[in-house]
Amino acid sequence: MKHLFSLLLTIIIVGCSNEQSHNELLNRAERMVFTRPDSVVRMLAPYYNDMTMTSDDRALFGLLYTEALHRSGLNTPSDSLIRTSRNYYERRGDDEHLARALLHHAIILYKQQQTHEAVLAMKRAEQLAGSMNQPAFAWYLFSVLGDVNDNVGNYGLTLQYYKKALSAARQCDNRQWMVQTLNNIAMTFDLLGQKDSLWHYTEQAQPYYDDTDGEVRATFLVNRASYLQSIGKHQEAKRCLTESMLISPTDRGEQLLADIYVAEGDTAAAVQQWYRLANSLSPDVAIQSYRQLIAYMSRRGDIADVAEYSQRLNEVYHRLYERNDAAGVIDMQTQYDEQLKERRQYLTIIVLLSAIILVIILSAVIIRYSHHRIDMLNTRFIESQQQYNLTRTELTRMRRTKEREQRENSRQMKDVVARLHAAANKGKAASSDDVNALAQISYAVRPRLQELLSPLYAKEQLVCLLTVHSFLPTEIATLTISTPQSITNTRVRLLKKLFNETGGAKDFDTAIKSYGRD
């Protein structure tokens, strides 16, 4: 009996010591997870299969371990661990830990291409973070939301989130985070073709550059090189890119380096870069590389290679199309923000249920109408003359519909052009609504023109569309907030870029006006 009592006492002491060890370990890990995530991964990894933890400790372990992995740039394919943490904190009503669990569960779901669930979880995390004073968490949250919007081309919201992340990084006084976020903002402006903004934010990162390392340092150099290249300082840009490659090679850096090789006339070196970048994980880089290779092969007359690489490019487009849910992601965030602002979430359920019922009713009506239509067609199929009359009637209707559409497009086009002329006469820039309307109607009338202008920046597309509609260079300059000389230079450059021809601005006007006409 005495020995049994001693054994039980030993078990109790060991169990208490183990629980205390877990608590101490997890508390230390939570203090370090934002600043030293790699150390937290190494600290917690040995306890991954530890079954002696309490449910509270296991939930915190799952959160800290997943959070440390993500902040270290590592991924985990399974969401079972973080899902357990999320469910636990959901039941407990612990908003601070729930917000973090939601974010890191969303990251895994997003990588699993469960976009709808991932974005909703991120937005919930953002909602909960609003009442928290955790700038280190806010920086990571807003950075992830910025990346998600960047992936779908929603650059307006991308910049909003990156700027929120920058504010949080400054609150933390973390220079590595500040430079990383400034790099992201600069890259976004680079994608938009706004080189002045690219330089502005790159210069903001300059004072903190010496405190960075790895990919953050390399990205800063690539941003700097992109601006230098845009103003013709190819050698300085090349030095920056070479230095960045030694630190952390990036596909974007290699793409810029290939552009410099082209400018230097070293086509062979550029082609080697394009071949390598054709396998890039970045669709934008891969697509641009394939285009450059196809153009190069076409100039050489390698018809077989052109066909093969065109097929590969189509495969990249197809994969990108399959996983691209840009409209869904953007619309989802907009709806969520509106719901939070209006505090009427219950209306969402009503709207969704109404939509489902409406879809069911419409489906039933369409099915019934389709059956009825099929019966009618089967009956009339026997009578050849009636079938001919029906077909002729249908063709006439389609022709009239097309004529109405053309008249409507013509009317809308006149209205848009008139508004733009009026804006130019008043010295005002073109409004985004007028620009969008001009593009939509122009592309509807001349689809081939949209294909031609798709590689251009938004401002370049607007210059082309205004030229097509015979706007004067001075009007174009006013509407695009430019100078007449810069518009003239742009037209000359676009003549070479779009038509591979040399000449003056009027040659470009003639070429673009005649392109895509029936």
Side-chain angles (χ1 to χ4, degrees):
M1 186 69 181
K2 184 176 181 181
H3 293 296
L4 179 60
F5 178 76
S6 300
L7 179 61
L8 290 173
L9 182 61
T10 302
I11 292 173
I12 293 172
I13 293 173
V14 170
C16 292
S17 299
N18 211 21
E19 184 175 348
Q20 184 176 3
S21 176
H22 285 155
N23 289 334
E24 181 182 350
L25 175 73
L26 293 174
N27 290 336
R28 188 153 53 95
E30 188 159 24
R31 289 193 297 269
M32 297 166 52
V33 71
F34 292 152
T35 55
R36 296 169 57 193
D38 50 344
S39 299
V40 173
V41 172
R42 291 193 297 270
M43 183 190 307
L44 298 182
Y47 299 90
Y48 188 88
N49 295 315
D50 188 347
M51 295 293 103
T52 65
M53 294 186 188
T54 64
S55 58
D56 186 54
D57 286 347
R58 193 64 187 170
L60 184 56
F61 174 88
L63 171 60
L64 294 176
Y65 187 70
T66 307
E67 193 169 28
L69 282 175
H70 289 163
R71 283 180 172 264
S72 301
L74 303 174
N75 298 318
T76 176
S78 172
D79 67 340
S80 58
L81 192 64
I82 192 65
R83 186 185 291 275
T84 300
S85 302
R86 172 180 173 176
N87 292 338
Y88 178 82
Y89 293 124
E90 191 100 54
R91 291 192 303 268
R92 292 286 298 271
D94 185 342
D95 288 349
E96 181 174 333
H97 287 92
L98 176 60
R100 291 159 58 187
L102 283 167
L103 173 61
H104 292 282
H105 189 203
I107 292 172
I108 298 175
L109 292 174
Y110 188 78
K111 292 185 179 297
Q112 293 175 346
Q113 296 187 16
Q114 299 183 47
T115 309
H116 184 274
E117 293 82 354
V119 173
L120 284 178
M122 289 180 192
K123 296 300 291 182
R124 280 196 65 199
E126 181 186 11
Q127 177 188 358
L128 293 173
S131 59
M132 295 164 49
N133 184 23
Q134 285 280 3
F137 170 69
W139 170 80
Y140 195 78
L141 168 67
F142 293 137
S143 296
V144 170
L145 283 165
D147 292 342
V148 168
N149 283 278
D150 180 52
N151 290 340
V152 298
N154 189 16
Y155 296 125
L157 201 53
T158 298
L159 290 171
Q160 288 182 32
Y161 279 124
Y162 282 158
K163 288 177 180 179
K164 288 182 179 180
L166 178 60
S167 176
R170 284 174 171 157
Q171 288 183 55
C172 298
D173 195 25
N174 188 307
R175 298 194 169 195
Q176 182 88 354
W177 296 355
M178 290 166 62
V179 175
Q180 181 177 338
T181 309
L182 287 165
N183 284 344
N184 289 338
I185 297 173
M187 281 192 294
T188 304
F189 278 116
D190 197 13
L191 285 172
L192 293 170
Q194 299 181 26
K195 298 296 183 179
D196 290 342
S197 295
L198 161 66
W199 181 247
H200 172 73
Y201 284 97
T202 301
E203 283 296 285
Q204 283 196 36
Q206 177 67 47
Y208 316 112
Y209 167 74
D210 292 334
D211 297 321
T212 62
D213 54 20
E215 186 177 351
V216 174
R217 190 181 187 92
T219 304
F220 170 84
L221 292 168
V222 172
N223 284 339
R224 191 177 187 87
S226 179
Y227 176 77
L228 292 171
Q229 184 178 351
S230 71
I231 59 175
K233 295 184 178 181
H234 300 301
Q235 290 305 314
E236 292 183 38
K238 190 173 183 179
R239 283 194 294 272
C240 288
L241 290 173
T242 303
E243 184 180 349
S244 76
M245 295 301 170
L246 294 175
I247 299 171
S248 178
T250 62
D251 289 347
R252 179 165 167 259
E254 292 190 8
Q255 187 179 39
L256 290 172
L257 198 57
D259 293 340
I260 291 178
Y261 288 146
V262 171
E264 293 176 344
D266 190 353
T267 307
V271 169
Q272 289 182 0
Q273 294 285 96
W274 293 332
Y275 275 118
R276 187 160 52 250
L277 292 172
N279 298 316
S280 171
L281 295 177
S282 169
D284 292 336
V285 173
I287 289 169
Q288 184 63 21
S289 300
Y290 274 122
R291 285 178 174 173
Q292 297 282 15
L293 285 171
I294 292 169
Y296 170 74
M297 294 169 182
S298 298
R299 291 193 297 270
R300 293 185 59 186
D302 297 335
I303 305 303
D305 288 341
V306 168
E308 178 184 350
Y309 277 79
S310 295
Q311 178 62 31
R312 293 184 185 181
L313 177 58
N314 289 335
E315 291 173 0
V316 174
Y317 278 124
H318 183 67
R319 290 195 298 270
L320 184 62
Y321 173 79
E322 285 182 336
R323 68 171 184 261
N324 187 21
D325 189 22
V329 171
I330 296 170
D331 186 58
M332 199 182 312
Q333 293 178 93
T334 302
Q335 288 185 12
Y336 197 95
D337 290 338
E338 289 176 352
Q339 291 165 10
L340 290 178
K341 184 178 180 180
E342 297 174 0
R343 301 288 184 180
R344 295 184 303 189
Q345 295 184 5
Y346 68 93
L347 287 179
T348 303
I349 299 175
I350 296 175
V351 170
L352 289 176
L353 290 175
S354 301
I356 293 172
I357 294 171
L358 181 60
V359 168
I360 293 173
I361 294 173
L362 287 176
S363 299
V365 171
I366 291 171
I367 291 172
R368 184 170 180 178
Y369 172 78
S370 299
H371 288 163
H372 178 67
R373 185 69 174 169
I374 290 171
D375 292 340
M376 290 179 61
L377 291 176
N378 287 336
T379 301
R380 294 179 181 179
F381 182 76
I382 301 172
E383 303 174 7
S384 59
Q385 186 60 43
Q386 290 180 352
Q387 182 183 22
Y388 169 76
N389 292 336
L390 178 63
T391 303
R392 183 178 62 182
T393 301
E394 184 65 17
L395 290 173
T396 301
R397 186 189 66 78
M398 292 174 63
R399 176 177 55 79
R400 290 175 178 173
T401 298
K402 184 176 181 181
E403 290 174 352
R404 284 197 300 270
E405 291 177 351
Q406 290 175 344
R407 287 196 299 269
E408 180 63 18
N409 286 338
S410 176
R411 184 188 65 77
Q412 292 178 357
M413 179 63 76
K414 289 179 180 178
D415 292 343
V416 172
V417 169
R419 289 197 299 270
L420 289 170
H421 276 300
N425 290 335
K426 295 177 181 179
K428 297 181 178 178
S431 69
S432 58
D433 290 341
D434 287 342
V435 171
N436 291 335
L438 180 67
Q440 290 175 2
I441 300 171
S442 298
Y443 294 151
V445 175
R446 296 164 66 178
R448 288 184 58 204
L449 186 62
Q450 182 177 13
E451 181 180 355
L452 175 69
L453 303 183
S454 61
L456 302 181
Y457 295 124
K459 185 174 181 179
E460 293 175 329
Q461 290 190 24
L462 179 56
V463 171
C464 293
L465 293 175
L466 292 172
T467 302
V468 166
H469 294 286
S470 302
F471 279 76
L472 297 175
T474 53
E475 293 180 307
I476 298 174
T478 300
L479 293 171
T480 59
I481 316 178
S482 306
T483 64
Q485 184 58 48
S486 68
I487 294 301
T488 300
N489 295 340
T490 299
R491 288 153 62 204
V492 173
R493 176 170 52 79
L494 289 175
L495 178 64
K496 179 66 176 177
K497 185 174 183 179
L498 295 178
F499 303 103
N500 199 24
E501 296 178 6
T502 56
K506 291 186 177 180
D507 297 322
F508 167 75
D509 295 349
T510 302
I512 196 68
K513 287 178 181 179
S514 61
Y515 188 85
R517 291 188 179 277
D518 295 334

